[in-house]
Amino acid sequence: MNGVGLLSARRRKAILWVALSAPLLWLSILVVRELQQPNSGLGVEPTEALLHYLGEWSLILVLLAFSVSPLRRRLHWPWLGQHRRLIGLFAFAYVCLHVLTYAGLYIEFQLTELLDDFVHRPYITAGIGAFVVLLLMALTSTRGWRRRLKQNWQRLHGLIYLASFLAIVHLLWLRKDGGLAEAVYFLIFVGIMGERIWFHWQSRRAA
Amino acid sequence: MLIRKPSDIPSSEITSEEIYRQRRRFLGQSSALIAGVGLGLPAPVSQAGLQQDDDITPEEIVTQYNNFYEFGTDKSDPYANASALTTDPWTVSVSGEAKKTGDFAFEDVIKGLTPEERIYRFRCVEAWSMVVPWMGIPLKRILEQFEPSGDAKYVVFKTLYRPEEMVGQRSFFSSIDWPYVEGLRMDEAYHPLSIMAVGLYGKSLPNQNGAPWRLMVPWKYGFKSIKSIVSIHFSKRQPVNTWQALAAHEYGFYANVNPAVDHPRWSQASERRLPSSIFDPNRRPTLPFNGYAEEVAGLYRGMDLRKFY
């Protein structure tokens, strides 16, 4: 057990709360500046900037949730598993804000435009798909649901594979031409997938 | 893609209120002129297609929010990185189906041609738009100097390729096959609305906007209006432009602004006019040919614009 693991679970949780809400705190500072003086906090296209900021942090936190098992195994951080739900729910909160920004500020609640986007734009389809999967996982994240669903709960929450995949596809299909950030997220995703596949293959061989 | 540090300079410091008001007055007058068209009065080319609510986009947005992938893929990158570009000396090489070909100094190509102000709507394929006061020379007057032959059906332009000064061309992640290529049909190039812009806001063109000169074809999506041009080639055949080469199902050769033909990944029916604010993306309907249908629709008579997008 390392230094972080020596902290009490409550203290670790508090630290996580602060760390996971920090991007939102920074965003609220930007929004306040933006409200005081247009185009100062969020730039020339503030709605777009808000959408992308929330989208990027959604992806980061989804990938973080997806990496809990590999990190726990490789870094010998058994305590990290206790906080998986917190990380997942934070990811879902960012995703909700991202989706709300898209629906409310970006297409201004025009249902026809939303349907049109959903049907005709694969990256939106992928994004909404990821949202629905995460919604299911968030709704069933309580202890009660875990008990009720028994071994199906594990199966349902294995959908994090699908959610991460759809989230990364959502980003890659959105871009016109590759950028450094996209490549980094993609490599992180491939890394986590690789570790998970490797681990399962190894444990199956060992069994 | 995280948000970069925004400019700390409020717009009020750059554009004085008096100048801003003058622009408003000027626009008011232009709309009066446009209204005059209805009365049978000719409208000057400089304001063709402008509408009453087309406010000129502030200079700091026109010069700090650009797509110029040679300097990076973020729209704030060109402003940050383009100062590395040297534009003097600047050589333009002319080739193909024309009488006068060879390498020319940029100053000689534009010598004796006086730039005119043209206030154009500018519509990016990404669905944002601006209104920009360009200084430009009708493209026809530039091209005629080289005496293209009857075989010249297309004109093909290339952007400078100089990775030492253009950080985006050094990028490992870009799948663009540099240099950037764009082209027009000769009749499009000779249309009176087509210009080579050499300035904006009454000043010479900033590097990030395509110094020392860039194409400006206001009825087409912005990517057609190629920047920092070093090569003009008169061709018999239609060229493959850069974005078409990259994704032919998304970007065509013509790229005429058309609200009826969506980009596969987003709708082109409306646009976000800059500047916009956080709770109002300033969305407005996109007009066929970006509002220049009256002037240019005839160029495409009989063509299926869904097929030739």
Side-chain angles (χ1 to χ4, degrees), chain B residues 102-213:
Chain B
D103 289 352
F104 300 89
F106 170 65
E107 311 80 75
D108 296 338
V109 177
I110 59 162
K111 194 158 35 180
L113 303 173
T114 320
E116 318 165 1
E117 173 154 72
R118 299 285 181 96
I119 302 169
Y120 282 159
R121 269 199 294 272
F122 179 90
R123 170 63 157 79
C124 178
V125 73
E126 296 169 338
W128 51 267
S129 67
M130 302 179 176
V131 178
V132 183
W134 301 101
M135 298 298 293
I137 301 162
L139 182 57
K140 184 177 184 208
R141 298 191 60 192
I142 291 165
L143 298 183
E144 274 175 345
Q145 300 178 110
F146 308 115
E147 299 176 31
S149 77
D151 282 340
K153 301 287 184 244
Y154 296 88
V155 57
V156 188
F157 303 98
K158 280 183 189 157
T159 296
L160 177 73
Y161 177 69
R162 195 182 284 162
E164 342 46 291
E165 290 179 2
M166 301 174 122
V167 65
Q169 292 179 337
R170 302 200 294 264
S171 167
F172 173 75
F173 300 99
S174 175
S175 37
I176 293 175
D177 182 19
W178 308 106
Y180 194 86
V181 177
E182 261 306 341
L184 294 172
R185 232 166 49 189
M186 280 308 276
D187 60 340
E188 295 177 320
Y190 275 20
H191 191 279
L193 285 177
S194 300
I195 58 166
M196 279 291 200
V198 293
L200 52 81
Y201 265 99
K203 301 165 196 164
S204 59
L205 206 58
N207 285 357
Q208 64 272 24
N209 294 85
W213 66 341

Side-chain angles (χ1 to χ4, degrees), chain A residues 96-161:
Chain A
C96 283
L97 288 172
H98 175 62
V99 170
L100 261 176
T101 307
Y102 163 74
L105 295 179
Y106 204 71
I107 58 171
E108 296 170 306
F109 291 121
Q110 288 173 359
L111 200 63
T112 46
E113 195 150 336
L114 181 77
L115 283 175
D116 189 58
D117 270 359
F118 181 71
V119 175
H120 291 117
R121 312 201 208 287
Y123 82 96
I124 299 270
T125 319
I128 294 179
F131 170 66
V132 171
V133 171
L134 291 169
L135 176 69
L136 278 177
M137 292 174 65
L139 288 177
T140 58
S141 66
T142 56
R143 264 190 208 122
W145 273 105
R146 187 168 198 156
R147 226 176 311 117
R148 243 167 289 166
L149 290 172
K150 298 196 183 90
Q151 63 268 56
N152 282 331
W153 191 90
Q154 260 333 323
R155 261 177 233 153
L156 181 68
H157 284 248
L159 285 175
I160 185 69
Y161 280 86

Side-chain angles (χ1 to χ4, degrees), chain B residues 23-145:
Chain B
R23 283 178 199 144
R24 289 292 179 127
R25 265 203 299 280
F26 176 65
L27 275 180
Q29 287 159 0
S30 346
S31 18
L33 280 166
I34 293 158
V37 180
L39 305 169
L41 305 169
V45 190
S46 75
Q47 286 124 25
L50 272 202
Q51 303 206 331
Q52 204 148 13
D53 56 349
D54 279 333
D55 290 343
I56 294 183
T57 304
E59 185 179 357
E60 69 272 18
I61 290 181
V62 174
T63 57
Q64 295 179 28
Y65 195 74
N66 313 95
N67 272 323
F68 196 171
Y69 278 26
E70 280 80 347
F71 294 108
T73 55
D74 266 17
K75 276 176 273 292
S76 54
D77 285 343
Y79 175 69
N81 300 331
S83 59
L85 177 68
T86 46
T87 56
D88 190 21
W90 193 267
T91 307
V92 180
S93 92
V94 179
S95 60
E97 312 292 334
K99 203 178 254 179
K100 292 183 181 160
T101 54
D103 289 352
F104 300 89
F106 170 65
E107 311 80 75
D108 296 338
V109 177
I110 59 162
K111 194 158 35 180
L113 303 173
T114 320
E116 318 165 1
E117 173 154 72
R118 299 285 181 96
I119 302 169
Y120 282 159
R121 269 199 294 272
F122 179 90
R123 170 63 157 79
C124 178
V125 73
E126 296 169 338
W128 51 267
S129 67
M130 302 179 176
V131 178
V132 183
W134 301 101
M135 298 298 293
I137 301 162
L139 182 57
K140 184 177 184 208
R141 298 191 60 192
I142 291 165
L143 298 183
E144 274 175 345
Q145 300 178 110

Side-chain angles (χ1 to χ4, degrees), chain B residues 222-234:
Chain B
F223 71 85
K224 287 297 288 182
S225 291
I226 178 171
K227 303 185 184 84
S228 304
I229 295 165
V230 292
S231 161
I232 299 174
H233 178 78
F234 296 97

